[in-house]
């Protein structure tokens, strides 16, 4: 049973979706699902053709300041054409999204570690998206996003101790990536584990939630997923092997993954601070932000980090 607040949110969102608005509340069974910034519902609709299952996404408060909903819709439709995303059944001007409820398990860090072949299936899904030939409606530029979030936070927001120094050190990463840019590809750009749905029976891994998607260096997605899932060396090797179609990644490619693993934590630290500033109650976002930043610092302080920067800058070909 929904809380009064969730019921009010669902009713307002359903009114923006013609398919749901045409049904009575008695025809709908609704349950709250997860979500860090948005409110998500599982909806079962009893109609003449039988029981239909949907996922209804309601945009969270404040997200309009940093999410381009028109671009999200175009990118989600492109991901569906690419064969990795669900169909977009309805998308309102305000960002209310209805899609089919996908079969399979919504992933988590534990599921990525424990489900046999899950990392490989995710690698195949990312490879399929990146090689689809689709063109997303937006660009995802790492350091532009950093500047954007810093602007949203404003001068009065406290940053974790050492963030300014880490951002200055990251300029060497920026220079290396700029010296050897890869062709951009349609990327998810926010590959949280929970944005992957694994249907192990069919062998298909699907990807949802294209709010942050854009044309980007494809190895961003690979690196960020490894971080979000907490993959160990063996699982990360499984992910990379599947992503590269069985080929051994070059030193430059491995270097890009390492650099982006640090940079995704540098970026999502700011995202966490923005959620903290906006009063998002989903979790303790100050702890989230500081935890990510500590992990970023730890990786950038490793003795081999500078070697990875050099490998990317030089474009070393050997594996």
């Amino acid at each position: 049973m929904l809380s009064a607040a969730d019921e009010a949110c669902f009713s307002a969102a359903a009114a923006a979706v013609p398919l749901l608005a045409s049904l009575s509340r008695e025809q709908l069974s609704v349950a709250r699902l997860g979500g860090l910034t948005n409110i998500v519902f599982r909806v079962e609709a009893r109609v003449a053709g039988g029981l239909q299952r949907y996922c209804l996404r309601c945009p969270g408060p404040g997200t309009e300041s940093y999410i381009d909903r028109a671009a999200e819709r175009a990118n989600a439709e492109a991901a569906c054409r690419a064969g990795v995303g669900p169909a977009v059944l309805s998308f309102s001007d305000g960002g209310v999204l209805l899609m089919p409820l996908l079969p399979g398990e919504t992933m988590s860090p534990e599921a990525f570690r424990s489900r046999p072949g899950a990392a490989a299936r995710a690698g195949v899904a990312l490879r399929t998206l990146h090689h689809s030939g689709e063109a997303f409606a937006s660009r995802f530029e790492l350091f532009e996003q950093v500047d954007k979030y810093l602007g949203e936070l404003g001068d009065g927001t406290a940053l974790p101790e050492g963030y300014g120094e880490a951002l200055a050190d990251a300029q060497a990463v920026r220079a290396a990536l700029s010296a050897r840019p890869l062709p951009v590809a349609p990327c998810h750009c926010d590959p949280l584990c929970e944005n992957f749905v694994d249907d192990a029976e069919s062998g298909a891994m699907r990807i949802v939630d294209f709010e942050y998607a854009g044309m980007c260096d494809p190895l961003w997605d690979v690196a960020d997923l490894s971080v979000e899932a907490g993959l160990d060396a063996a699982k990360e090797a499984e992910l990379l092997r599947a992503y590269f179609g069985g080929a051994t990644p070059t030193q430059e490619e491995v270097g890009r993954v390492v650099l982006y693993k640090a940079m995704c934590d540098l970026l999502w630290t700011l995202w966490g601070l923005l959620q903290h500033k906006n009063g998002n109650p989903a979790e303790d976002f100050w702890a989230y932000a500081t935890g990510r930043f500590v992990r970023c610092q730890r990786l950038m302080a490793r003795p081999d980090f500078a070697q990875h920067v050099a490998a990317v800058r030089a474009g070393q070909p050997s594996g």
Side-chain angles (χ1 to χ4, degrees):
M1 185 172 179
L2 298 180
S3 68
D6 283 347
E7 184 66 45
C9 177
F10 171 76
S11 297
V17 178
L19 188 154
L20 298 180
S22 68
L23 302 174
S24 69
R25 185 62 178 86
E26 289 69 31
Q27 290 176 275
L28 304 173
S29 296
V30 185
R32 175 76 183 266
L33 298 177
L36 286 178
T37 55
N38 301 309
I39 300 173
V40 184
F41 298 101
R42 174 192 174 107
V43 182
E44 294 185 345
R46 292 179 293 278
V47 295
L51 193 65
Q52 300 294 323
R53 295 180 173 86
Y54 304 103
C55 182
L56 179 69
R57 192 281 310 280
C58 312
T63 56
E64 68 280 354
S65 69
Y66 56 90
I67 300 293
D68 182 337
R69 294 298 176 190
E72 181 199 358
R73 176 175 186 166
N75 296 342
E77 291 171 343
C80 178
R81 293 193 299 269
V84 299
V88 176
L89 301 178
S90 178
F91 200 114
S92 75
D93 291 342
V96 175
L97 167 64
L98 184 73
M99 58 187 176
L101 189 70
L102 295 175
E105 178 174 339
T106 298
M107 296 299 285
S108 65
E110 173 56 32
F112 266 112
R113 291 190 290 268
S114 62
R115 285 173 73 87
R121 289 191 290 278
V124 170
L126 290 175
R127 179 182 175 87
T128 299
L129 175 62
H130 297 163
H131 290 256
S132 66
E134 292 289 342
F136 279 176
S138 48
R139 286 290 296 264
F140 182 90
E141 299 283 358
L142 165 61
F143 289 97
E144 286 183 12
Q145 283 295 122
V146 168
D147 291 341
K148 180 180 178 181
Y149 285 154
L150 286 171
E152 290 281 342
L153 289 168
D155 294 336
T157 301
L159 301 177
E161 185 176 354
Y163 191 89
E165 291 84 348
L167 187 57
D169 291 342
Q171 296 312 304
V173 173
R174 184 176 195 171
L177 293 169
S178 298
R180 304 287 302 183
L182 289 184
V184 295
C187 293
H188 186 276
C189 302
D190 182 32
L192 287 173
C193 299
E194 292 77 9
N195 288 334
F196 289 77
V197 180
D198 186 32
D199 186 355
E201 277 191 30
S202 69
M205 182 82 76
R206 306 291 291 280
I207 311 175
V208 301
D209 189 358
F210 289 84
E211 286 185 306
Y212 299 90
M215 302 299 288
C216 180
D217 181 335
L219 290 182
W220 170 273
D221 276 352
V222 178
D224 200 356
L225 175 58
S226 181
V227 169
E228 306 302 338
L231 300 184
D232 61 19
K235 289 293 186 181
E236 184 175 287
E238 177 187 326
L239 170 67
L240 292 175
R241 189 162 51 248
Y243 180 78
F244 286 107
T248 300
T250 66
Q251 287 183 6
E252 179 188 358
E253 289 164 338
V254 171
R256 282 179 180 274
V257 170
V258 173
L259 268 53
Y260 281 137
K261 286 170 72 172
M263 293 301 99
C264 75
D265 275 335
L266 191 75
L267 175 66
W268 299 131
T269 293
L270 298 178
W271 179 88
L273 293 175
L274 189 59
Q275 305 312 309
H276 178 70
K277 177 183 178 181
N278 290 341
N280 187 333
E283 65 174 84
D284 182 347
F285 279 104
W286 175 257
Y288 169 96
T290 55
R292 295 205 73 134
F293 181 57
V294 167
R295 186 169 55 195
C296 170
Q297 287 180 305
R298 189 179 299 128
L299 179 51
M300 292 181 72
R302 271 176 29 183
D304 62 347
F305 190 78
Q307 297 171 16
H308 291 299
V309 172
V312 171
R313 188 172 55 244
Q316 295 179 15
S318 59

